[in-house]
Each structure stands twice: as structure tokens, then as C-alpha cells.
Amino acid sequence: MIDEDYMKLALNLARKGQGYTSPNPMVGAVLVKNGDIIGKGYHRRCGAAHAEVNAINNAQMDVAGATLYVTLEPCCHHGQTPPCTDVIIKNKIRRVVIGSIDSNPLVSCRGMNMLQTNGIEVKTGVLEKECRALNEVFFHYMETNLPFITLKFAQTLDGRIATDSGHSKWISCDKSLTYTHKLRAQHDAILVGINTIITDNPELTVRLVRGRNPLRVVVDSELKISPKAKVLQNQDKAKTLIATTKKPTDTKFKNISFTGAVVLPCRANKKGLVDLKDLFRKLAARNISSVLVEGGAQIITSVLKENLAQRIVVVIAPKILGTGTEAVGDLDIKSINATKKLAIKNILKSGDDIIIDSRLQKK
């Protein structure tokens, strides 16, 4: 086997941590000695031992002189766990093969340099594209100080997400609904506008698959939410944050705070509504590295218009409404050349539906 083969194994291990490591990255590690794999590990959850340490601890023999394959540069600072570089040096690993350099300024190239200073051979950039793609959320979060934003909506073939009366349950099939819950479990937060809460009264929790509940974020500029709304219940199981333009002295502000939900004042935009970029900055400061935006149309349109999204997931049901609520409203685009261009990453069949997973291309 060659370096790329071992790195592929490390990538497969890293994926096992999906949905549990945030705001840390997913990382996998493989130890090889005399042509044999002697240890494997991955980062299981935030706050737990890192992949390199797990691989060393799981090794079936003395790791001195071995080669360590790791998808991300080993950390060299004290966080919730000790530096991985110290463990690697202490155990006399001979060679370290790294998939991608860490964008965290506390680590970036420092981990690699520390290993080299201690006489360890280091090779970087092995399957770098794949390693960065695995942790696209982490890299975006570290490099922009903003969460990675995924827009997700289910629509009919003619682009409607609800009837004229606002009825939308259920446009997609049961299998697609399960897919949506899987997406929720992979994100730190799920965000909707107040109109979605008033119309549908959703729980916004993970129920159809195993996984953690994301933070529930409701954009509610005027604090119209009812204290009886489902998202304000069961705060012990799923936390809720209400983003508003109201001040803490407002009576509505205090009433909602009594439910246990966090009410977060945000800057108002020109229309007097919550400034979404300001909200996303504040969520990032709370260690929210990814947000799944599930609607409604006004929020989806605003996120696209302000170029705040990185990923779009569209569930297309083989149905036609003719009239109804459009998934995306006016983006003030006057020319085909100015359209939002997407790179399709995956297309899959989900029951009767088709799911398109794409990334917005940077201009």
C-alpha cells in the first residue's frame, strides 16, 4: 500500500465522528509499522481524545519507529486535551503523513514544525483536497469566523414550498424526511423564520435518526412567538435561541426569557429586520460552526441575496402545484450572467423524490 491508500483509511475513520466533534474537525489516524497497520483511531466527540492519541493507545505493538497517517495536522497547543505533538514525540513516531494543514491559527504549520524540530519526518498534502472537503465546515469557520450555512428546502417540481394557503405538509416523502433529520444531526444549529413557527409550529429536533439535537434558532425581529410554541418547550432536550431587534428592556423579551430560551438582540438591517450576518457572527462567537437554514422563503431569499450560504440542499418532489409560495423570492438579478451558480456535489434518489446537494460557487 502507498501513502494515499493509508490516508483513505484514515478518512473513512474520520467520518465516524460526523455530527459529534463540532466545533472540532473530524480527524482519522492510522499507524503503520513494517508494512502492517498496528493502530487506528478517530476523534469521537468534542472534548474527547484526538485521533492520533486513540490510534497510539489502540496500537497492538510498540509504536516507536512507526509511520502515522492523519487527515489533519496534529495539534500543538493545550485545549480540552493535551497537545498531540507531545504524544507523537514521546512515543518516538518516525514519520508523520498529514492530509491537510490546520487552519486554526493556534496550530497552522506549528504542529508540523514542532515535529520536524524533534527529528520526525513529515509529509503533507496527501489527499489534501479530500481531507479539506471532509472538514469544509471547520475550514470555513476557522478562515471566516462565520458558520458554514446550509440552505435546505423541499419543493415541488415547479418550485413551490407551500400552497397559497401556506399548507406544506408534506411535500416530500418519508424517506426524504429522514434525510432531513440526518442533516439536522450534522449541524450545530437549525434556523427558521418566525413565519414558519407561526404557520407550522415545528419542533425542529432530531427524531427519525440517532444524533444530537441542534440549537434551535428562530429569527423573530418583533418577538411575535407564542410562549406555547413547540420550540420553547423541552429546553432540557433541545436549546432554543430567539434572534430579535428588540432590547432587553422590552416586556416581550423578558416573557420569552422565562421559558428558558436565550433571547439574542441583533442589529437591525435597513428594513428593521434582524441583520443575518450580525446574527451569524454572534452564533460563531458561541461556537456554532454550522447552521442548517430550513426556511421559510423570506429567510432563504435573504440568505441568498446577501451571499451568506455555502451549501444548498434541495429536495424535489414529483408534484406540481401551479401556484403557491416560491422557494426563492426576488434576488434582484437582472442578467443571466449574474445568477447564483452552483456546483452539484451529489444527486440521489430518495423514495419518489430527488435530492440535489450543491455548493454555491464563489465569484
Side-chain angles (χ1 to χ4, degrees), residues 262-281:
V262 173
V263 187
L264 182 66
C266 296
R267 188 173 61 215
N269 61 19
K270 293 178 180 179
K271 295 182 179 180
L273 304 175
V274 167
D275 184 306
L276 293 178
K277 190 165 187 179
D278 182 54
L279 169 58
F280 291 152
R281 284 198 192 100

Side-chain angles (χ1 to χ4, degrees), residues 1-18 21 25-32 37-44 50-55 67-74 96-100 123 126-128 130-135:
M1 294 177 71
I2 59 176
D3 288 344
E4 285 76 8
D5 294 323
Y6 291 120
M7 191 61 72
K8 286 178 183 177
L9 291 176
L11 278 165
N12 288 334
L13 286 166
R15 292 187 182 97
K16 292 184 177 183
Q18 189 171 41
T21 64
M26 293 174 279
V27 183
V30 175
L31 271 171
V32 178
I37 296 173
I38 63 170
K40 298 178 184 178
Y42 68 96
H43 186 37
R44 294 176 178 272
H50 289 186
E52 304 93 317
V53 174
N54 285 331
T67 295
L68 173 68
Y69 293 86
V70 61
T71 55
L72 187 71
E73 179 183 11
V96 177
V97 179
I98 299 170
S100 55
K123 181 180 179 180
V126 175
L127 298 187
E128 181 178 13
E130 291 85 347
C131 290
R132 282 190 64 90
L134 174 71
N135 280 306

Side-chain angles (χ1 to χ4, degrees), residues 129-149:
K129 182 179 178 181
E130 291 85 347
C131 290
R132 282 190 64 90
L134 174 71
N135 280 306
E136 60 180 343
V137 169
F138 171 77
F139 285 113
H140 176 84
Y141 178 58
M142 280 294 162
E143 294 165 9
T144 66
N145 292 317
L146 287 168
F148 184 95
I149 307 299

Side-chain angles (χ1 to χ4, degrees), residues 166-181:
H167 186 254
S168 61
K169 292 184 178 180
W170 296 100
I171 284 177
S172 59
C173 67
D174 289 344
K175 190 172 182 180
S176 296
L177 193 59
T178 299
Y179 176 88
T180 295
H181 280 245

Side-chain angles (χ1 to χ4, degrees), residues 52-247:
E52 304 93 317
V53 174
N54 285 331
I56 291 170
N57 289 342
N58 293 333
Q60 300 167 348
M61 62 171 65
D62 183 11
V63 301
T67 295
L68 173 68
Y69 293 86
V70 61
T71 55
L72 187 71
E73 179 183 11
C75 67
C76 55
H77 68 292
H78 281 274
Q80 291 179 284
T81 59
C84 290
T85 50
D86 288 0
V87 178
I88 293 169
I89 294 165
K90 179 182 177 181
N91 282 275
K92 299 180 181 179
I93 302 295
R94 181 184 65 83
R95 179 172 179 252
V96 177
V97 179
I98 299 170
S100 55
I101 297 299
D102 195 335
S103 289
N104 186 337
L106 295 174
V107 181
S108 188
C109 291
R110 295 181 182 183
M112 174 186 71
N113 291 339
M114 186 173 291
L115 295 175
Q116 291 175 324
T117 300
N118 283 272
I120 296 174
E121 180 186 342
V122 176
K123 181 180 179 180
T124 63
V126 175
L127 298 187
E128 181 178 13
K129 182 179 178 181
E130 291 85 347
C131 290
R132 282 190 64 90
L134 174 71
N135 280 306
E136 60 180 343
V137 169
F138 171 77
F139 285 113
H140 176 84
Y141 178 58
M142 280 294 162
E143 294 165 9
T144 66
N145 292 317
L146 287 168
F148 184 95
I149 307 299
T150 300
L151 290 182
K152 177 269 165 187
F153 50 89
Q155 66 171 44
T156 58
L157 194 60
D158 56 341
R160 312 295 178 179
I161 61 173
T163 64
D164 282 333
S165 63
H167 186 254
S168 61
K169 292 184 178 180
W170 296 100
I171 284 177
S172 59
C173 67
D174 289 344
K175 190 172 182 180
S176 296
L177 193 59
T178 299
Y179 176 88
T180 295
H181 280 245
K182 184 178 179 181
L183 268 183
R184 289 180 180 181
Q186 294 171 357
H187 287 75
D188 293 340
I190 177 172
L191 181 147
V192 299
I194 184 58
N195 289 336
T196 297
I197 298 297
I198 293 172
T199 303
D200 298 336
N201 194 23
E203 290 184 46
L204 301 181
T205 54
V206 174
R207 302 182 300 280
L208 303 182
V209 298
R210 290 183 61 185
R212 58 174 185 162
N213 283 318
L215 172 70
R216 301 177 291 191
V217 179
V218 179
V219 179
D220 185 5
S221 301
E222 296 298 319
L223 292 181
K224 297 178 180 178
I225 192 167
S226 166
K228 296 181 180 179
K230 289 180 180 179
V231 292
L232 294 181
Q233 315 306 316
N234 303 319
Q235 291 294 307
D236 57 327
K237 295 181 181 179
K239 300 295 183 183
T240 299
L241 182 148
I242 310 296
T244 185
T245 57
K246 294 292 185 181
K247 305 298 182 185

